[in-house]
Amino acid sequence: MSITEEIKHLKKEKNAVILAHYYVADEVQEIADYIGDSYYLSKAAQKTAADIIVFCGVKFMGESAAILNPEKKVLMPDLTADCAMAHMVQLEKIREMRETYEDLAVVCYINSTAEIKTYSDVCVTSANAVKIVRNLPNQNIFFIPDGNLGRYVAEQVPEKHIIFNDGYCPIHAAMSAEAVKREKEKHPEAKFLVHPECTGDLLKLADYIGSTSGIIDFAAEDDGKEYIIGTESGVLYELKKQNPDKTFYTLTENQICTDMKLITPEKVLQVLKEEINEVKVPEKVRIQAGAPLEKMLMLAR
Ligand code: 13P
Ligand code: SF4
């Protein structure tokens, strides 16, 4: 039996589903039941009737699925796959901001640890951050951990006072405006589609700014033929699959989240077979981190 066949067989036998983020390797996306951005995956994890969820992504994603689904077993093919940005907040700074602003809302990007979520009022993803912040009753917002996404949201919602944190995604922050200009010169017809985790100078050059799903949907619906992609290169799998007649360029060859690439079909098979690498969140943390996640799912609807 091939790995794919064995995985298929075990999924049926154990009533399991495989969820995968667009940044994992092509061969992992090929075996997944649901592929999407962080927002879509958190909804898919909540909706599924499966007993076991195999989450192909980084730790905060598996953790969020486990927090939202205490009755299900969430397994991760590699428990060491982590998001660097998820840790980039000092809890002391959150306390300080709460003391400074009486009406403060701590808005926490889902790319954060469960512990950090317990200190926040509402979670967001890049797909719903603008909508949620705009509709909050609070005037003062501390946006954690991503400073770049925070600044993007502030531009869209100028009526709010948004305080930025200095966290960032090392992969998106490394993309440069010079590289965008160079690619635009090489491909003058190409549109630049970018993730809001990139710095503001890149966003200024964009034809479209959005989450991974947003970028994929834009390319599918747009009538152009060429696109420069400003996010992790894993999205190319879905972009090419949906648009075989369109051409996609990256800014460099290393737009790669090495943690996402730790997930392999072999590891998926192993966790399904042995039911190992279960994501465990202490009950107190689960309840406290679950509240801002549930609030996000409600406000983003
Ligand atoms: P999306 O929510 O757009 O999928 O982004 C997740 C992520 O990790 C971006 O670096
Ligand atoms: Fe985290 Fe960046 Fe990797 Fe996304 S691409 S999971 S933000 S390190």
Side-chain angles (χ1 to χ4, degrees), residues 226-239:
E226 293 175 273
Y227 303 88
I228 301 162
I229 302 300
T231 190
E232 211 271 357
S233 59
V235 296
L236 293 174
Y237 172 77
E238 188 67 25
L239 283 169

Side-chain angles (χ1 to χ4, degrees), residues 39 105-108 121-125 127-138 141 143 153 157 160 292-301:
Y39 178 44
V106 178
V107 175
C108 185
D121 297 302
V122 61
C123 287
V124 295
T125 76
N128 56 38
V130 170
K131 180 179 175 182
I132 289 179
V133 170
R134 184 174 287 139
N135 292 324
L136 285 176
N138 318 60
I141 311 278
F143 195 97
V153 172
V157 193
K160 300 273 180 191
L293 276 170
E294 299 272 5
K295 194 166 176 188
M296 171 188 83
L297 293 173
M298 192 184 75
L299 296 179
R301 243 182 253 150

Side-chain angles (χ1 to χ4, degrees), residues 21 23 36-39 60-61 109 111 125-126 169 172 195 197 211-213 260:
H21 189 266
Y23 292 166
D37 68 359
S38 309
Y39 178 44
F60 77 82
M61 296 178 171
Y109 192 24
N111 295 38
T125 76
S126 56
C169 161
H172 288 82
H195 197 282
E197 284 178 18
S211 74
T212 51
S213 289
M260 287 283 188

Side-chain angles (χ1 to χ4, degrees), residues 174-194 202 205-207 226-231 236 247-255:
M175 296 176 200
S176 74
E178 287 65 41
V180 180
K181 287 175 193 155
R182 189 192 59 225
E183 289 306 308
K184 280 207 165 208
E185 253 169 50
K186 278 203 267 177
H187 314 288
E189 298 299 316
K191 289 181 184 159
F192 178 46
L193 318 183
V194 67
L202 265 84
L205 303 170
D207 294 287
E226 293 175 273
Y227 303 88
I228 301 162
I229 302 300
T231 190
L236 293 174
T247 311
F248 299 95
Y249 309 102
T250 52
L251 301 172
T252 65
E253 278 171 8
N254 41 32
Q255 285 169 219

Side-chain angles (χ1 to χ4, degrees), residues 93-94 97 104-107 140-144 163-165:
K93 206 164 165 199
I94 303 179
M97 289 301 155
L104 190 79
V106 178
V107 175
N140 294 298
I141 311 278
F142 184 31
F143 195 97
I144 57 171
I163 304 137
F164 309 121
N165 180 61

